[in-house]
């Protein structure tokens, strides 16, 4: 008689790995285009997200410009990532910071993705926020 494969330890290991991952909560994401007022180099957006969703803000930036992003919220689980066009990894992962400033490596459509950490989804949280995006240079 054959012994069954030790699948339970493998499943437990996978479950523990998924709990430690700081990935964005999954759910409905909406996309909004960021437009600066004539002559302005920044825009401020007031918004809200639910734990099971988020917002992707898109803007076109030239290579070598300075992109600044600041997220203000009272919810500690709200975060943002900066995604450059054509890159597989985020240019900035906001899991430990609320502000970003850096030179854009390539020209194109950048995305600032506002999301909630997975633990917030378990508590069905929402977050009001103020997002400021600036481009200079």
């Amino acid at each position: 008689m054959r012994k069954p494969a030790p699948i339970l330890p493998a499943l437990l290991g996978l479950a523990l790995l998924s709990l430690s991952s700081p990935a964005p909560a999954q759910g409905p994401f909406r996309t909004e285009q960021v437009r600066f007022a004539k002559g302005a180099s920044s825009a401020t957006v007031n918004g809200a997200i639910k734990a099971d969703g988020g917002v992707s803000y898109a803007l076109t930036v030239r290579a070598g410009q300075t992109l600044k992003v600041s997220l203000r919220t009272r919810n500690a689980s709200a975060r943002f990532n900066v995604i450059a066009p054509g890159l597989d990894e985020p240019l900035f992962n906001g899991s430990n910071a609320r502000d970003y400033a850096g030179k854009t490596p390539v020209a194109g459509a950048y995305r600032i993705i506002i999301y909630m950490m997975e633990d917030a989804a378990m508590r069905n949280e929402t977050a009001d926020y103020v997002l400021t995006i600036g481009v200079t240079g």
Side-chain angles (χ1 to χ4, degrees):
M1 181 187 244
R2 289 180 12 189
K3 287 185 176 180
I7 196 162
L8 186 57
L11 289 175
L12 286 174
L14 286 174
L16 288 174
L17 282 174
S18 69
L19 289 175
S20 65
S21 172
Q26 298 299 310
F29 271 71
R30 67 182 189 275
T31 300
E32 295 185 15
Q33 186 69 38
V34 176
R35 291 184 176 82
F36 298 158
K38 187 173 180 115
S41 62
S42 67
T44 299
V45 179
N46 295 300
I49 55 172
K50 294 181 179 179
D52 66 344
V55 183
S56 177
Y57 291 98
L59 72 154
T60 302
V61 181
R62 293 187 316 262
Q65 289 186 296
T66 298
L67 174 64
K68 293 183 180 180
V69 181
S70 174
L71 177 66
R72 297 294 170 251
T73 180
R74 291 183 179 176
N75 190 314
S77 293
R79 302 284 195 268
F80 74 92
N81 289 347
V82 176
I83 310 294
L87 297 182
D88 293 333
E89 296 293 320
L91 184 62
F92 172 78
N93 180 328
S95 61
N96 294 317
R98 298 290 175 102
D99 297 288
Y100 167 77
K103 296 279 187 188
T104 53
V106 296
Y110 282 70
R111 293 179 294 136
I112 292 101
I113 300 174
I114 310 294
Y115 64 93
M116 301 273 277
M117 300 296 284
E118 285 185 45
D119 62 330
M122 290 182 226
R123 296 187 299 268
N124 199 29
E125 293 181 14
T126 61
D128 294 324
Y129 62 86
V130 177
L131 179 69
T132 303
I133 302 167
V135 177
T136 57

